[in-house]
């Protein structure tokens, strides 16, 4: 934290004090900060800061707390500071009368005990300077104050807030709307507001909302015993709720009964009706056999061959072998084979669902 010596009145400042005794008003115009080193020089002869960097606007003046002295408050902004610097110098400027020339009234230099003022890329939220110095006569003292940039100090704010909070009529209209007290008696809750008006409600009763046997469902795992009290047990996992009574399809469901399956394997009776048909017919078989086997064919096959003698057929290798054509009229009993299909597995029996936490109150 910077350590500034007491303000020293310059020659111009002493001159303005004398001039103000003649009835002309002393007007303080600004507070300035600079980065200059005094290097043993004389303050009283200064007419400006050695290295002026910031002009700070005066936000308040107090010429009544200390006889013959004045305290100026100024707010400093670094919004136009291109390069950071150590704020070693403080100068106070004033003038005599509205048309007077602005001159350096008082000056101080902290030297190596100055604070650093960053550039505008690191904005200063609040930098407030207070400086007190002699004016000889507190009468006819003024300051140029821009009301649009007046900022209270933290101490001023704390004092104002404390005074406000202790006032009995602070925000009276708003206070009247707030709850002043809440009381419970005989199953009712009475809420009293700041203006004295009250409203009575029936208090929450667990048995009224969730009597024993009630079901509570949630997507959050917090037990209703924690939320409302009472004794609760988790419902069996994987079971959905079904309204009791006789359904429109004629099935009666008693309260507390269970049923249904997660998976189901079809029985033969549950398979869809299926009919398989195979068709076979008699077939004529035609062929040729040598002539010398005709007796064998007719005798051994029970006449099932109808033999037709064919003249001028091609002979065998001996030149005499003839052939006969046969037609076989046979009764055929076919065997039909059908391959097995299916793997005898159970199928899922669940509708689309969302899992939740579910409890039943038991006490």
């Amino acid at each position: 934290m910077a350590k500034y010596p007491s303000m020293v009145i310059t020659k111009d400042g002493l001159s303005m004090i004398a001039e103000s005794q003649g009835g002309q008003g002393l007007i303080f115009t600004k507070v300035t900060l600079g980065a200059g080193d005094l290097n043993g020089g004389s303050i009283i002869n200064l007419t400006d800061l050695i290295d002026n960097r910031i002009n700070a606007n005066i936000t308040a003046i107090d010429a009544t707390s200390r006889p013959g002295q004045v305290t100026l408050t100024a707010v400093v902004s670094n919004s136009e500071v291109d390069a950071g610097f150590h704020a070693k110098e403080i100068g106070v400027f004033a003038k005599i009368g509205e048309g007077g020339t602005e001159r350096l009234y008082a000056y101080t230099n902290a030297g190596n005990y100055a604070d650093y003022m960053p550039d505008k890329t690191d904005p200063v939220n609040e930098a407030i300077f207070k400086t007190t110095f002699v004016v000889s006569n507190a009468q006819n003292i003024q300051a140029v104050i821009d009301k649009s940039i007046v900022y209270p100090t933290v101490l001023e704010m704390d004092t104002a807030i404390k005074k406000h909070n202790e006032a009995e009529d602070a925000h009276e209209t708003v206070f009247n709307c707030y709850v002043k007290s809440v009381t419970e008696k005989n199953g009712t809750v009475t809420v009293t507001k700041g203006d004295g008006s009250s409203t009575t409600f029936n208090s929450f009763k667990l048995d009224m909302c969730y009597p024993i046997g009630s079901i509570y469902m949630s997507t959050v795992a917090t037990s209703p015993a924690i939320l409302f009290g009472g004794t609760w047990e988790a419902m069996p996992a994987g079971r959905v709720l079904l309204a009791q009574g006789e359904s429109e399809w004629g099935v009666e469901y008693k309260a507390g009964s269970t049923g249904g399956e997660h998976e189901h394997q079809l029985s033969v009776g549950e398979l869809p009706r299926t009919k398989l048909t195979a068709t076979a017919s008699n077939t004529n078989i035609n062929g040729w056999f040598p002539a010398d086997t005709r007796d064998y064919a007719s005798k051994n096959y029970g006449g099932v061959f109808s033999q037709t003698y064919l003249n001028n057929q091609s002979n065998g290798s001996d030149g005499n072998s003839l052939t006969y054509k046969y037609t076989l009229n046979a009764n055929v009993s076919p065997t039909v084979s059908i391959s097995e299909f299916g793997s005898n597995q159970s199928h899922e029996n669940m509708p689309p669902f969302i899992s939740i936490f579910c409890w039943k109150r038991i006490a």
Side-chain angles (χ1 to χ4, degrees):
M1 184 174 180
K3 296 181 180 180
Y4 292 98
S6 298
M7 298 290 291
V8 176
I9 308 299
T10 65
K11 283 184 178 180
D12 282 337
L14 294 172
S15 176
M16 283 187 279
I17 291 175
E19 293 175 35
S20 67
Q21 303 305 311
Q24 299 186 64
L26 177 61
I27 303 174
F28 292 99
T29 57
K30 65 182 180 183
V31 175
T32 59
L33 276 68
D37 289 310
L38 193 57
N39 294 325
S42 172
I43 292 177
I44 196 170
N45 292 318
L46 289 176
T47 58
D48 198 354
L49 272 66
I50 300 168
D51 184 2
N52 195 333
R53 296 293 184 92
I54 296 177
N55 291 328
N57 294 283
I58 298 173
T59 59
I61 180 171
D62 181 5
T64 61
S65 298
R66 298 178 183 179
Q69 294 185 356
V70 67
T71 300
L72 297 180
T73 302
V75 175
V76 177
S77 169
N78 67 340
S79 60
E80 297 182 359
V81 176
D82 294 324
F85 68 97
H86 285 87
K88 300 178 181 181
E89 303 176 276
I90 296 179
V92 176
F93 285 79
K95 64 182 180 179
I96 298 295
E98 292 294 340
T101 301
E102 187 179 68
R103 292 174 284 174
L104 181 62
Y105 180 91
Y107 177 93
T108 186
N109 195 304
N112 294 330
Y113 296 99
D115 285 337
Y116 183 77
M117 178 66 66
D119 62 37
K120 59 187 177 184
T121 61
D122 184 14
V124 175
N125 293 328
E126 181 185 79
I128 298 177
F129 282 85
K130 276 193 174 183
T131 181
T132 301
F133 43 86
V134 175
V135 291
S136 181
N137 188 348
Q139 296 178 349
N140 252 352
I141 301 298
Q142 300 179 47
V144 177
I145 299 176
D146 184 348
K147 297 294 184 180
S148 65
I149 58 169
V150 174
Y151 299 97
T153 65
V154 173
L155 178 59
E156 290 170 340
M157 283 295 298
D158 289 342
T159 302
I161 292 173
K162 182 179 179 181
K163 181 179 179 181
H164 171 80
N165 290 342
E166 292 175 350
E168 294 183 358
D169 59 347
H171 296 297
E172 182 176 2
T173 304
V174 178
F175 173 77
N176 289 339
C177 300
Y178 281 86
V179 173
K180 183 177 182 181
S181 65
V182 178
T183 57
E184 182 179 7
K185 184 178 181 181
N186 298 328
T188 61
V189 175
T190 300
V191 178
T192 303
K193 296 190 295 185
D195 61 359
S197 62
S198 62
T199 305
T200 300
F201 307 90
N202 290 327
S203 60
F204 173 81
K205 295 293 184 183
L206 180 60
D207 289 339
M208 294 173 58
C209 299
Y210 291 103
I212 294 174
S214 296
I215 302 296
Y216 174 79
M217 295 179 290
S218 177
T219 58
V220 180
T222 305
S223 169
I226 297 174
L227 298 175
F228 316 120
T231 304
W232 301 73
E233 68 177 9
M235 297 289 287
R239 291 205 173 267
V240 298
L241 302 180
L242 182 71
Q244 66 83 39
E246 185 174 344
S247 67
E248 61 184 74
W249 48 90
V251 178
E252 183 178 2
Y253 300 97
K254 294 183 178 180
S257 62
T258 59
E261 298 174 283
H262 170 252
E263 291 184 338
H264 180 73
Q265 186 173 6
L266 294 175
S267 65
V268 174
E270 294 170 332
L271 293 173
R273 185 183 297 276
T274 304
K275 183 178 180 180
L276 301 176
T277 302
T279 303
S281 61
N282 293 337
T283 304
N284 293 330
I285 303 174
N286 298 318
W288 299 88
F289 58 88
D292 58 0
T293 63
R294 64 184 181 277
D295 292 336
Y296 170 80
S298 62
K299 292 178 179 179
N300 294 327
Y301 287 89
V304 298
F305 289 97
S306 62
Q307 302 172 8
T308 303
Y309 176 69
L310 301 177
N311 293 318
N312 301 321
Q313 295 296 317
S314 59
N315 297 327
S317 59
D318 58 1
N320 297 315
S321 298
L322 298 176
T323 60
Y324 287 86
K325 179 180 180 181
Y326 67 87
T327 300
L328 176 60
N329 298 313
N331 294 321
V332 180
S333 299
T335 299
V336 178
S337 295
I338 300 176
S339 300
E340 292 184 351
F341 57 88
S343 56
N344 202 34
Q345 295 181 353
S346 300
H347 65 277
E348 187 176 284
N349 206 31
M350 298 285 288
F353 60 85
I354 297 176
S355 295
I356 60 171
F357 298 94
C358 191
W359 294 267
K360 181 176 73 173
R361 187 182 173 200
I362 59 175

